[in-house]
Amino acid sequence: MKLKYLLPIAFIALFFSCSTDNDDDAIVNETEGLELIQTIFNNNQTIELYNEKGMFETGYNLVSLRIKDNTTDSYIEDAILSWMPMMQMPTMEHSSPKSTISKALGKDTVYEGFIIYQMTNTDASGWSLTLNYTIDGTDYSVTETISVFQYENQNTSTFMGSDGTNYILALIEPKDPSIAVNEMKVGLFKMENMMTFPVVEDYTIALDPRMPGMGNHTSPNNTDLTYNNADNFYYADLSLTMTGYWKLNLKLMNANDDVLKGEDVTDENEASSLYLELEF
Amino acid sequence: MKTLITVILCLLLSSLGFAQDNNKETKKDTTKLEEVLVLSRRKLSNHRQEKTLSSIDDYLEKSNKVTMIKRGNYAWEPTINNMTSERLVVTIDGMQIFGACTDKMDPITSYVDVSNLEKVTIGSGQEGTENGHSIGGGIDLKLPSSKFNGSGFKSGLDLGYETNGNYKATGLDLEYTGNKFFISADGIYRKSDNYDAGNNEEILYSQFEKYNISLKTGYKFSETQSIDANVIYDKATDVGYPALPMDVSLAEALIASLTHNYKPEDKALKSLETKLYFNTITHIMDDTKRPVVAIRMDMPGWSDTYGFYSKADVVQNKHHFTFNFNGFYNKSLAEMTMFSNNPSEPDMFMYTWPDIRTLYSGIFIKDDFHFSAHETLASSIRLGYHKNKIAKEVGVQSLEIFHDNVQDQNNRFLVSLSSAYQLKKENYNLSFGLGYGERAPSVSEGYGFFLFDSFDNYDYIGNPNLKDEKALEANFSFKQKFNDFEIGLESSYFHIMDYIIGEIAPDVSSMTIGANGVRVYTALDHASIFNTYVNSSYKISERFAINGTVGYNYGKGNDGENLPLIKPFSYFAEFNYNTPKFNAALQLDGNGNQSNYSSKYGENETADYAILNLNLGNVFHNKLGKTVLKYGVENILDTKYSTYADWNNFPRQGRNFYLNLSFVLQ
């Protein structure tokens, strides 16, 4: 809750501090509406990471990147990028689900991709990001520590299915829910090993949104999440009848309709063990 | 259907049609005391004019056609012909005004007081469409008309006390009337604690407190033209609703109008009255006085209306024409904020009326054709254009959760027709009428979002795609006099098509904690409502009279289910003693067992009851004016009872002693 009040202030502060520096820089338009998360220096290049909030949080993060050539002070328009986020645990390390990086639609200098941080330490520590990129046939690589903050609600869930596989589920939409039929979008990945998290295709996720604060009130005309092979995400209709805290109870089923995780919500069973949270 | 409408149209236009004038009028029974005493039998509140300070609710309840639905001791909802607010048009001196409460806790009648009014006009069915479209009828609460008779200063004071609920009422009015100018002001204050039902059972949350102030002034430019302005401010606070889960901390109305009157002499045009008006209502529901609730919530609502009418009376030969061109614009907004019991969760919010704008304009024409000395054919038509708009985008989106197709605008063209034949002879009256009417759904029916109805314990969702509700109506009345004995019958039948009612949505979860489920407004193909009353009176001597009424009502949908809120068999008998300075009346009032209740809509059987009342009155004249004393006992036997119209069967008042004292200084 407090973040809601702090963020606008932070944004305003950022806006005023940035505006004087970049007033005459036409390229600034390409990151309009985005906030700088971090700048990574690598000798001749500076890599800028952006997203809407200006910080990494657990769950789905859509990230925009730019690479500046420090010698010419211009942004590179034909780089090839890839990345590897890494979480350092006491006994082991692991990565997270992520996309490839491609040029943002309609932009010259901005590249785009997503990372789903499934966990973090309470002080936002533990993660590092390795960026590999090629400019004019020359390969570069840089690794930098990043901060990943805990999101206030459960917008991602890591769990083991009844098939013994570890899955990661992340809420992507709705970002700005309203009292309406919202489009719900989630990403579902499985943990093949510590470093590889491929997309899970053609499963079904049953959806049952509830308000525990209102006697487990639910809404009508929701649909189950189904896989869309155009963008590899799962989509559903999510009806929200009022603002407040919603628990999106889920039940994961494979292509054979075997339940891998989650239970139906009934009078006796208030919630599924697989769920995501939403607040607005 | 079309043929039927054609038939009615033909009747309208043909002088062979039948007729009726079912409009009943009554003079106010508060400070205008002389009028109380001269009320004739046929007036609305003939039988039980027992209190000079009775509320407008008490007052309306005296009519055969009107029953008041009670959710508490205050702000009762009038019904006509067993139909509630949505099917009626209730106006204040022709001004449209809409309550701001989604749960009908503030019927329009609660925003005026008897001290504001001169009379009440009740039109049954299509006879009541002068000010708007309705199915069941219309109630127009008439403000006093301008007078420039030079009667000078006049003042009056009313004091009232009732033992049950420690109820106190005080009214004061001041008036100056010159030849070209008048000004009058009145104020009334009422306060009641919890009342006791029969057997001294205290009914918690039945208290209320309210005051009402009105100011009226007028100026006469010439012999034919005058202008007047009227402002009413009404404020009720701390109103308990024992039958509901919430109370009201504030119900506030400001009603203002400016009227121009033109009364030419010796012309066919008898009068032309044009009014501009504005009213604003704020209604705040409140649960802070209830110790235990599932969840705390705030539910404020607002309703603002701007409108006008222009009304002309034309008398030509045997025709008396009434024209009324009117229009209004209303904005209804209500919201709900629930405070989660878990402090870490945010407040929950929704619009229960998502800022609905209603624009209406229409024209009404009525012709009273006195085609012979004893016969009248009264025909009327109202044509109107009605538009609803959802001003908030979130309103459209939230209704889309329940309906595939939600337009932010909805236009309707509405028609009302009626025709009535009336025969008046010395010893008997006869009337017969037919009517056809349409109405648009109310804001709640069209756009309400999770409106909890504690009557059937369901949450209601509006339906913006409802069709107009339509009704065919036939009515009949007859009265015969045999010397000192008089007997009369009045009866109405309504065949209502696309009858709007909530249908259970089986798979939808209620929002209100503990509710049975959700109903979405939809329409029955058709429904029938019938009522009949037999009135009789016998004048034993110059001073003694008895009168009695029995009534029967019926209401069923095409699915064979009983409709809700249909009055069971009822009866009323009164024994009167009257002299110019003293009057006494003993009354018996009762209902039969409500066996045809609507279990589908949350009703259960209400047992029969009968209560006895005794009313007495004295008038004293002196040099300064007049003093009127009214006193009596209501529910003498302290019967514990509730009627079919009591929300959730909460019991009515037990024995009550009352005393009203009025001074008129002239």
Side-chain angles (χ1 to χ4, degrees):
Chain A
M1 283 300 283
K2 279 174 190 154
L3 217 55
K4 277 186 196 162
Y5 302 108
L6 286 172
L7 276 174
I9 298 165
F11 287 173
I12 290 163
L14 266 169
F15 176 79
F16 283 109
S17 58
C18 293
S19 55
T20 43
D21 300 340
N22 301 332
D23 260 354
D24 47 1
D25 191 347
I27 300 162
V28 84
N29 288 334
E30 294 229 311
T31 57
E32 203 177 295
L34 297 172
E35 296 298 331
L36 185 69
I37 304 165
Q38 196 168 348
T39 310
I40 299 170
F41 300 98
N42 187 27
N43 299 324
N44 232 356
Q45 290 96 30
T46 308
I47 299 142
E48 299 166 358
L49 303 174
Y50 293 87
N51 67 6
E52 277 186 359
K53 272 191 171 178
M55 61 195 274
F56 288 123
E57 288 177 305
T58 50
Y60 173 87
N61 289 259
L62 183 64
V63 187
S64 297
L65 308 93
R66 293 200 298 188
I67 305 171
K68 191 158 81 176
D69 185 328
N70 292 338
T71 51
T72 61
D73 206 22
S74 63
Y75 290 100
I76 309 292
E77 298 187 10
D78 52 1
I80 299 161
L81 291 102
S82 68
W83 52 11
M84 182 59 87
M86 198 64 76
M87 172 92 188
Q88 189 63 51
M89 309 276 281
T91 55
M92 50 90 156
E93 58 174 12
H94 65 80
S95 183
S96 73
K98 62 182 194 308
S99 68
T100 55
I101 301 175
S102 53
K103 185 70 78 66
L105 202 67
K107 290 187 179 173
D108 296 325
T109 61
V110 180
Y111 302 82
E112 219 172 47
F114 71 81
I115 301 172
I116 292 165
Y117 301 108
Q118 63 271 49
M119 63 191 313
T120 190
N121 289 324
T122 47
D123 62 352
S125 71
W127 286 93
S128 63
L129 185 63
T130 301
L131 283 162
N132 302 306
Y133 54 99
T134 309
I135 302 169
D136 297 333
T138 315
D139 293 339
Y140 303 91
S141 182
V142 62
T143 299
E144 186 71 72
T145 304
I146 55 171
S147 293
V148 175
F149 296 89
Q150 182 67 46
Y151 188 74
E152 57 187 308
N153 290 320
Q154 179 163 317
N155 60 357
T156 179
S157 175
T158 308
F159 58 93
M160 182 183 278
S162 57
D163 55 357
T165 308
N166 280 311
Y167 292 93
I168 295 168
L169 183 72
L171 183 66
I172 301 166
E173 298 279 0
K175 264 192 307 191
D176 294 309
S178 61
I179 307 170
V181 181
N182 295 269
E183 185 183 67
M184 183 176 172
K185 177 179 173 184
V186 303
L188 179 65
F189 307 86
K190 71 177 170 195
M191 191 173 179
E192 209 163 80
N193 56 48
M194 290 295 175
M195 300 300 140
T196 321
F197 298 83
V199 167
V200 178
E201 296 179 11
D202 296 327
Y203 282 22
T204 305
I205 310 166
L207 169 65
D208 188 356
R210 297 278 177 164
M211 291 194 94
M214 289 297 293
N216 240 11
H217 165 74
T218 184
S219 58
N221 298 325
N222 297 290
T223 60
D224 291 343
L225 289 149
T226 52
Y227 183 69
N228 180 335
N229 56 17
D231 63 1
N232 302 332
F233 293 116
Y234 286 76
Y235 287 88
D237 287 341
L238 168 65
S239 302
L240 300 172
T241 47
M242 68 186 95
T243 70
Y245 169 76
W246 286 84
K247 193 173 216 175
L248 311 176
N249 293 288
L250 304 170
K251 202 170 73 174
L252 178 66
M253 288 162 292
N254 66 15
N256 301 324
D257 273 349
D258 303 324
V259 177
L260 303 180
K261 179 74 179 175
E263 306 80 29
D264 287 329
V265 179
T266 60
D267 288 343
E268 292 75 38
N269 182 40
E270 278 191 5
S272 170
S273 58
L274 178 62
Y275 66 92
L276 296 168
E277 293 174 321
L278 201 63
E279 219 176 80
F280 72 112
Chain B
M1 184 53 47
K2 288 237 164 65
T3 14
L4 278 168
I5 296 167
T6 322
V7 167
I8 292 168
L9 262 174
C10 291
L11 281 170
L12 254 172
L13 301 171
S14 106
S15 54
L16 291 169
F18 300 94
Q20 180 201 31
D21 186 7
N22 222 1
N23 281 22
K24 295 196 188 65
E25 292 186 346
T26 181
K27 305 275 183 182
K28 73 169 183 175
D29 63 345
T30 174
T31 50
K32 295 275 165 43
L33 296 154
E34 64 278 15
E35 288 165 359
V36 174
L37 302 171
V38 299
L39 275 171
S40 79
R41 245 193 64 69
R42 296 297 298 165
K43 304 288 185 191
L44 172 68
S45 49
N46 54 338
H47 303 316
R48 290 178 279 179
Q49 200 82 29
E50 68 268 29
K51 291 183 202 171
T52 45
L53 272 170
S54 65
S55 68
I56 187 79
D57 293 343
D58 279 321
Y59 185 62
L60 284 168
E61 202 175 30
K62 313 304 179 196
S63 167
N64 269 347
K65 296 267 181 192
V66 176
T67 301
M68 306 302 286
I69 293 176
K70 302 185 183 178
R71 296 171 173 86
N73 201 15
Y74 181 76
W76 302 341
E77 182 188 2
T79 70
I80 303 180
N81 293 317
N82 297 297
M83 295 185 230
T84 55
S85 313
E86 314 78 30
R87 294 188 171 87
L88 309 180
V89 50
V90 183
T91 49
I92 296 173
D93 210 30
M95 297 185 278
Q96 295 283 344
I97 169 165
F98 299 90
C101 177
T102 52
D103 295 350
K104 302 211 271 185
M105 289 151 95
D106 68 336
I108 297 321
T109 41
S110 70
Y111 290 117
V112 285
D113 211 309
V114 276
S115 57
N116 306 140
L117 305 176
E118 186 173 66
K119 60 184 178 184
V120 177
T121 306
I122 298 172
S124 173
Q126 296 309 312
E127 300 280 340
T129 56
E130 180 178 338
N131 297 303
H133 296 271
S134 77
I135 300 289
I139 298 175
D140 191 31
L141 307 160
K142 295 268 194 209
L143 302 174
S145 45
S146 313
K147 50 185 176 187
F148 303 97
N149 57 11
S151 60
F153 281 105
K154 194 177 167 185
S155 61
L157 174 69
D158 297 274
L159 297 168
Y161 182 75
E162 303 187 15
T163 54
N164 197 337
N166 188 25
Y167 172 64
K168 286 163 281 214
T170 310
L172 178 69
D173 60 276
L174 302 166
E175 182 182 294
Y176 170 77
T177 310
N179 292 318
K180 280 192 171 296
F181 172 77
F182 78 91
I183 183 161
S184 69
D186 65 72
I188 201 155
Y189 171 78
R190 301 173 184 275
K191 183 175 183 355
S192 174
D193 300 337
N194 289 336
Y195 70 78
D196 285 351
N199 301 329
N200 296 322
E201 184 199 332
E202 184 181 359
I203 302 298
L204 293 176
Y205 316 112
S206 62
Q207 82 289 348
F208 69 88
E209 179 170 10
K210 96 148 193 171
Y211 70 87
N212 177 295
I213 307 168
S214 97
L215 189 68
K216 182 167 173 137
T217 181
Y219 182 74
K220 192 170 172 182
F221 293 106
S222 67
E223 279 311 304
T224 55
Q225 289 195 62
S226 67
I227 191 159
D228 63 74
N230 186 298
V231 179
I232 298 172
Y233 178 73
D234 188 285
K235 185 176 179 181
T237 50
D238 189 25
V239 184
Y241 289 81
L244 301 180
M246 287 182 92
D247 302 313
V248 164
S249 60
L250 177 71
E252 185 181 36
L254 179 69
I255 301 161
S257 63
L258 189 67
T259 314
H260 176 260
N261 292 295
Y262 174 57
K263 282 188 182 161
E265 288 168 357
D266 307 324
K267 283 190 183 164
L269 176 67
K270 294 296 166 199
S271 71
L272 177 65
E273 181 184 326
T274 305
K275 182 175 290 195
L276 291 173
Y277 63 88
F278 157 74
N279 57 69
T280 178
I281 293 182
T282 303
H283 189 268
I284 296 176
M285 279 190 253
D286 169 74
D287 60 7
T288 54
K289 301 233 163 133
R290 303 292 176 109
V292 181
V293 291
I295 194 158
R296 295 275 161 198
M297 59 180 88
D298 276 352
M299 293 183 70
W302 300 271
S303 165
D304 296 337
T305 310
Y306 308 82
F308 74 94
Y309 70 76
S310 193
K311 186 172 143 182
D313 272 314
V314 177
V315 176
Q316 199 153 32
N317 303 327
K318 291 176 172 174
H319 292 276
H320 179 180
F321 292 101
T322 308
F323 298 92
N324 190 334
F325 173 54
N326 64 349
F328 69 84
Y329 180 72
N330 171 261
K331 174 179 175 2
S332 290
L333 174 70
E335 56 185 46
M336 169 153 69
T337 305
M338 285 163 289
F339 307 102
S340 179
N341 295 323
N342 180 347
S344 68
E345 291 177 10
D347 297 343
M348 290 159 272
F349 178 86
M350 61 171 75
Y351 287 106
T352 45
W353 280 347
D355 198 356
I356 303 303
R357 313 290 173 93
T358 305
L359 179 70
Y360 173 84
S361 62
I363 186 155
F364 171 83
I365 303 167
K366 184 179 179 190
D367 174 26
D368 291 297
F369 178 30
H370 303 281
F371 60 94
S372 81
H374 302 293
E375 291 166 292
T376 308
L377 180 67
S379 306
S380 73
I381 182 166
R382 170 170 276 283
L383 301 173
Y385 168 76
H386 182 279
K387 176 176 155 183
N388 280 130
K389 186 176 190 310
I390 311 174
K392 291 212 184 290
E393 174 67 17
V394 66
V396 179
Q397 291 176 345
S398 55
L399 286 166
E400 277 172 346
I401 296 174
F402 293 89
H403 303 285
D404 292 335
N405 176 25
V406 180
Q407 303 292 325
D408 66 345
Q409 282 194 29
N410 206 332
N411 301 321
R412 297 165 193 272
F413 184 73
L414 302 169
V415 179
S416 287
L417 303 169
S418 81
S419 190
Y421 165 85
Q422 186 169 39
L423 174 66
K424 269 190 182 168
K425 284 283 174 84
E426 199 179 328
N427 283 327
Y428 73 93
N429 290 353
L430 170 77
S431 75
F432 180 73
L434 287 174
Y436 170 78
E438 298 174 339
R439 69 153 180 122
S442 69
V443 170
S444 290
E445 288 168 339
Y447 306 97
F449 197 64
F450 285 108
L451 305 181
F452 177 62
D453 185 342
S454 64
F455 189 70
D456 61 3
N457 204 30
Y458 275 82
D459 283 332
Y460 278 72
I461 303 284
N463 180 350
N465 302 319
L466 287 171
K467 288 188 208 158
D468 301 336
E469 188 174 276
K470 297 163 275 284
L472 278 168
E473 171 200 339
N475 52 60
F476 172 77
S477 89
F478 175 76
K479 196 166 79 178
Q480 175 78 52
K481 205 171 168 184
F482 308 95
N483 298 322
D484 292 328
F485 180 69
E486 201 175 80
I487 186 154
L489 173 92
E490 52 188 78
S491 192
S492 304
Y493 175 77
F494 297 85
H495 177 79
I496 305 173
M497 294 150 282
D498 297 314
Y499 182 88
I500 298 169
I501 200 158
E503 193 62 51
I504 294 172
D507 300 326
V508 182
S509 139
S510 64
M511 182 278 301
T512 304
I513 294 169
N516 291 346
V518 170
R519 288 182 194 265
V520 178
Y521 278 106
T522 173
L524 295 178
D525 185 58
H526 62 264
S528 303
I529 293 179
F530 172 73
N531 64 64
T532 187
Y533 286 89
V534 177
N535 304 302
S536 66
S537 70
Y538 180 58
K539 200 170 175 185
I540 302 165
S541 75
E542 204 46 44
R543 291 177 173 178
F544 285 102
I546 52 171
N547 63 62
T549 299
V550 285
Y552 171 77
N553 295 268
Y554 167 94
K556 256 196 170 61
N558 61 313
D559 53 1
E561 293 275 352
N562 292 314
L563 298 180
L565 292 168
I566 301 294
K567 190 173 188 166
F569 171 75
S570 64
Y571 56 91
F572 175 77
E574 186 181 55
F575 182 74
N576 279 308
Y577 174 79
N578 271 306
T579 72
K581 294 195 170 177
F582 175 73
N583 72 289
L586 185 66
Q587 300 169 336
L588 172 70
D589 189 2
N591 274 5
N593 188 31
Q594 186 197 14
S595 46
N596 293 326
Y597 60 91
S598 172
S599 52
K600 188 176 171 188
Y601 294 98
E603 280 187 318
N604 52 19
E605 191 165 344
T606 306
D608 57 344
Y609 74 88
I611 56 163
L612 269 179
N613 302 323
L614 175 68
N615 310 308
L616 303 157
N618 291 81
V619 184
F620 309 98
H621 290 272
N622 56 36
K623 279 177 196 162
L624 292 169
K626 185 166 68 173
T627 305
V628 177
L629 181 66
K630 298 255 172 180
Y631 50 102
V633 197
E634 292 169 320
N635 195 356
I636 297 169
L637 303 175
D638 203 24
T639 309
K640 189 180 173 188
Y641 74 107
S642 71
T643 78
Y644 83 101
D646 292 311
W647 220 243
N648 293 331
N649 288 331
F650 82 95
R652 290 203 178 181
Q653 265 194 345
R655 187 183 300 124
N656 180 32
F657 294 92
Y658 70 88
L659 181 75
N660 280 190
L661 188 61
S662 308
F663 305 97
V664 183
L665 302 173
Q666 232 157 344

